[in-house]
Every structure is written in structure tokens, then in C-alpha cells.
Amino acid sequence: MALLPRVRRALLAAVVAAAVALPLAGAARPSDVPAPVPPAVAPLRADGGPDALAAALEGRYAAERAALREAARTAEGHGARLRAASLRAMAGVDRRFLEFDGRDGGRSAEVVGDLARAERIAVLVPGADTGLDSYARFRAGAVALQRTLRQEFGARSAVVAWLGYRTPATGSAASLTPGRADRAAPRLRSFVEELARIRPGARITLLGHSYGSVVCARAAGLPVAALVLYGSPGTGSDRAADLRTDAAVWAGRASGDWIADVPHLRVPLPAGGELGFGADPVEPGFGARRFAAGDGGHSDYLLPGSISLRNLARIVDGREPDRA
């Protein structure tokens, strides 16, 4: 009998999602802002040592900076002033992008820190409602994590803010199903494999927030030391052992995070696919290692000075975090 209220809540969520998605189908969306085709860039090479890699990275950063400026001009010409302002900020001379493509809502990968010499590399994968128009918030988390790694542990580190997929809107049908995660996973897998190739001695940690944890789970099996799921609605797997990874799997959820109220179910849909993401990663039966995430809300895990940020930094550095 206890299952019935949870099923009703899941079905209600699906109905609400459909009600929200359908009226917005004809409205202007961030993905409608045009952008030029990005220029082709040469693959990064691992041979030649850190100095050669640093020089190659500077060339890549300069090329992506030019692409960002061109995309900003295109957005301005289209009347998308918010997008244009965000892109101009992203194109600053102190910014370092490995990838940028402004089409279809935008894709990017920004480096915070010295990637050529990093011994610790963290890849942040965002959840719902993250895009080019709201990019500053995502980057702020990457900056906070890099600063904590440097100040607390003195680590030679780099944090990569990977916005490599079109994130769903909170409450939309896409946010309740794994379709976008399944499409994003090959992109993430290719990106992390390239990082491992150009920095073969570095410890890489993959950190997925909210829907981003679904993306990370779908891309599991990567050459990473740790996989961190925080603020997660589930992964689509019943156990950490099902993620096909040799990495240490960590999970954390803050006590003020509303994601705790999301039903952890997987319901087959009539047209194929599933609604929901199954087992809760912070439950003991899932089998992940649990870290203390404090009492913040769903968007507070990377706030400067927070318990969650410090523990995420400890995991990235290969240290033991405070346990939940």
C-alpha cells in the first residue's frame, strides 16, 4: 500500500510535465538563437611534455575565444541581448575554453586552472536549467572548487565546466526521462577519454549534479578515479555495481535539497522508454560511498565555505571526505 502514493506522485509529475511542455512548444527558446558553425580545431597531443601541451592549449583557447566573439555578434544581430552579453563575458581574455559551439542552445567546456600541469582534474557535469544564458552560475561553482583545491590542499589542479549537452528544464518531460542523458553520454565519454590521453598521469574525477548525475552514470566505464553523484534523482541503475566502472562511486545529498522528494521509480512509458531514474544513490542499498553534504539546497553544493564543497574537493584530491 505504501507504494501507491509514490506511484501517484510519479504519474502526477508526468502529467504536469506534459502540461508544461505542450503550451511552450511554439514559444521562443534559448536553442532558437542562431550561431555560426565553429571552426575546426586540431586534436590535442600528449607528446612533447607539459610545455608543448601548454602551448597547444593556448592555441585552442585563442581559437575558441574567437568563436565565442563571433557567436556574440551573431546573437546581438538576432536581438538576443542576454545571450550576446553572456558570450562576450565568456570570451574574456582570461577565459580558457577547450570547446565551444553556440548552436542548438550551446555546448562548451571551460578550464579553470592549469590543465597542462594539473595532477588533479575535476569534470563538472551540470543538471537542469544550465545553459549559455545562465552560464555564470555554473562557472562560479567551477571557480569555487578550483580555489578550494588550491587553497586547502595546494593541489596542482584544474576544473573543467563541461556543458556538453542540452540540459532539460526542471519539471519538463525531458527532465524526468533519460533520453538526453543517453545522447549526452557518448560526448562526455569522448571528452574524458581525451583528457586522460593528454594528461595520462592525472587523477580525474567526474562530478554529476542533479540530471548531470544521470549523464555521468550513462557514461560510466571511463578512465576516472572517482564518480561523484550529488543532488541526484537516480541514475537508471539499481546498484552502484551496475554502473560498469572501476571508479570509487560517491553520493551525497544536502538535507535542504528538494530532490529528496522525487519518487525513485522507473515506470515504462507506452511509447517506449521510462519515466524516472530508479534507486536513490544515497540509500545504503545502492552501494555508493556517502559523503556529508551539509544542509544547503539543491543549488548550493559548490557554495564557497560549504561542507559539501570541501568534501567534493577532498574526493577530487584523493582524500577521504567526511562521511554522512
Side-chain angles (χ1 to χ4, degrees):
M1 296 297 292
L3 183 62
L4 291 178
R6 298 178 65 193
V7 172
R8 284 196 294 267
R9 288 166 62 192
L11 294 176
L12 177 61
V15 172
V16 170
V20 170
L22 291 175
L24 294 179
R29 299 166 297 176
S31 59
D32 293 333
V33 179
V37 177
V41 293
L44 295 169
R45 299 175 61 88
D47 54 330
D51 290 341
L53 178 58
L57 285 171
E58 286 304 321
R60 172 71 66 85
Y61 299 152
E64 301 301 343
R65 195 174 297 124
L68 279 156
R69 290 171 178 162
E70 180 62 25
R73 288 189 288 269
T74 301
E76 187 73 41
H78 184 69
R81 295 178 180 175
L82 177 62
R83 174 69 56 83
S86 180
L87 292 174
R88 284 194 295 269
M90 293 167 72
V93 294
D94 60 336
R95 306 288 286 271
R96 302 176 178 89
F97 282 84
L98 282 172
E99 298 178 357
F100 173 73
D101 185 343
R103 298 171 297 175
D104 188 33
R107 312 284 186 270
S108 65
E110 182 176 9
V111 176
V112 181
D114 184 358
L115 181 60
R117 295 172 176 81
E119 298 172 354
R120 306 284 188 264
I121 301 173
V123 180
L124 297 181
V125 181
D129 301 320
T130 306
L132 296 181
D133 295 342
S134 59
Y135 182 78
R137 180 183 61 191
F138 180 39
R139 182 179 188 265
V143 170
L145 180 56
Q146 169 64 7
R147 183 177 295 124
T148 302
L149 285 164
R150 187 178 66 251
Q151 293 178 349
E152 296 280 342
F153 311 122
R156 282 189 177 182
S157 58
V159 178
V160 182
W162 186 82
L163 180 56
Y165 76 113
R166 184 175 166 189
T167 67
T170 298
S172 68
S175 72
L176 302 172
T177 56
R180 292 201 184 181
D182 289 336
R183 291 190 292 273
R187 290 175 176 266
L188 179 59
R189 188 176 299 113
S190 177
F191 181 79
V192 173
E193 287 173 347
E194 182 181 33
L195 286 181
R197 179 176 56 79
I198 64 173
R199 292 295 299 133
R203 172 187 168 89
I204 301 176
T205 302
L206 190 58
L207 303 97
H209 173 239
S210 193
Y211 192 88
S213 67
V214 186
V215 177
C216 291
R218 292 302 210 259
L222 291 169
V224 298
L227 171 62
V228 188
L229 315 169
Y230 58 106
S232 175
T235 64
S237 296
D238 294 326
R239 302 176 302 156
D242 296 333
L243 296 179
R244 307 182 314 280
T245 181
D246 295 328
V249 179
W250 291 91
R253 185 171 64 223
S255 62
D257 190 342
W258 57 260
I259 205 76
D261 295 326
V262 173
H264 290 280
L265 300 173
R266 293 166 66 188
V267 180
L269 296 174
E274 291 181 326
L275 172 71
F277 305 105
D280 187 345
V282 301
E283 286 298 318
F286 186 77
R289 309 178 191 186
R290 293 181 57 189
F291 67 92
D295 58 1
H298 188 62
S299 300
D300 298 337
Y301 290 90
L302 295 174
L303 284 181
S306 64
I307 293 172
S308 53
L309 175 60
R310 178 175 173 79
N311 280 328
L312 289 170
R314 292 185 70 87
I315 295 171
V316 171
D317 198 50
R319 301 170 185 255
E320 183 75 8
D322 296 330
R323 294 290 191 122

